[in-house]
Amino acid sequence: MRGGRAMAAVVVLVLLALARSNSGSSQGLVIDLAIVTLALALGLVNWLVTRWRFDGTTLQYETGLIRRDLRRLPVARVQAVDIFQPLMARFFGVAELRIHVAGTSKDTRLAYLSRDRANRLRTALLAAHHGHDPATTPEPREVAAMVVPTSRLIGSVLLSGPAMILIVLLVVLGTVAADAPAAAGAVAGAAAVYLLAMGMAVWRRFNVQYGFTVAYA
């Protein structure tokens, strides 16, 4: 999940590695696979060194392998507890908890927890903030005030600048491939970076804004 934003880049990297392997360049394949393995290992280490604990009055959060980041968040200073669940997180049934504390400019993020666990922790933090017993306070019922339809989101994404640039690039590549197939490969290679950047920008906007809902408890 932490590497979800770079998934497109990883896919392109693996495809390039396979292409080099088929063309006989085994050294390039080894280097690319080593980069992918290193990225996965760093993500695993980050998960292993992250700890959190809530004792009813204080949420303690610590992470970092060499440089430790330790935070103690008193529930009395908690201003907001939000659940952030991108599209990919929905598929895996996990969520990120973002906790904003008075006097700080940076939110504390617990990512990723199961959706049920994130809901329980959010309920416990809010109950403790209001002086209630977290063990007996039921989860607050929320009423949706507004939901952005997926069709409207897709339309807004298609009308955005990155999507327009991506469409133009794809049309140009399609035209070149139809008129001069031999030159299509060279054009695609030159535009690969721009295609990847625009594609990731479009996906990031859709992923973050999917299912946007305003609700009140």
Side-chain angles (χ1 to χ4, degrees):
M1 290 306 306
R2 289 182 177 273
R5 295 179 179 179
M7 187 60 66
V10 172
V11 170
V12 172
L13 182 62
V14 171
L15 292 177
L16 291 176
L18 292 177
R20 292 174 183 174
S21 177
N22 293 333
S23 63
S25 178
S26 59
Q27 183 178 0
L29 174 63
V30 172
I31 294 175
D32 292 337
L33 292 180
I35 295 175
V36 174
T37 303
L38 178 61
L40 294 176
L42 291 176
L44 177 61
V45 170
N46 182 271
W47 174 75
L48 290 173
V49 300
T50 300
R51 298 284 188 273
W52 67 271
R53 181 171 59 89
F54 178 54
D55 59 8
T57 58
T58 302
L59 175 67
Q60 179 173 306
Y61 169 84
E62 58 179 322
T63 188
L65 179 62
I66 299 176
R67 181 180 177 181
R68 300 295 293 174
D69 180 10
L70 176 61
R71 305 180 191 180
R72 291 184 175 87
L73 313 178
V75 293
R77 296 174 55 194
V78 171
Q79 290 185 324
V81 183
D82 299 322
I83 294 180
F84 183 71
Q85 196 176 28
L87 180 61
M88 187 177 297
R90 293 174 183 264
F91 293 147
F92 289 95
V94 296
E96 174 183 333
L97 211 63
R98 296 183 178 180
I99 306 165
H100 183 71
V101 179
T104 62
S105 59
K106 185 177 181 181
D107 293 345
T108 297
R109 301 184 176 186
L110 298 181
Y112 282 88
L113 307 175
S114 67
R115 180 58 193 259
D116 291 340
R117 195 175 191 182
N119 285 333
R120 291 197 303 269
L121 180 57
R122 178 176 181 266
T123 300
L125 289 171
L126 294 177
H129 174 76
H130 293 289
H132 303 308
D133 185 1
T136 60
T137 302
E139 181 179 343
R141 299 183 60 182
E142 296 182 345
V143 179
M146 182 191 69
V147 180
V148 176
T150 303
S151 58
R152 184 174 301 175
L153 173 61
I154 294 175
S156 67
V157 171
L158 292 178
L159 292 175
S160 64
M164 291 292 186
I165 296 176
L166 180 61
I167 293 173
V168 170
L169 290 176
L170 292 177
V171 170
V172 171
L173 286 177
T175 303
V176 173
D179 295 339
V187 176
V193 176
Y194 302 99
L195 288 171
L196 181 59
M198 295 301 103
M200 292 182 65
V202 171
W203 165 252
R204 185 179 299 112
R205 177 168 177 174
F206 178 79
N207 186 34
V208 171
Q209 299 181 2
Y210 177 82
F212 181 84
T213 303
V214 177
Y216 61 92

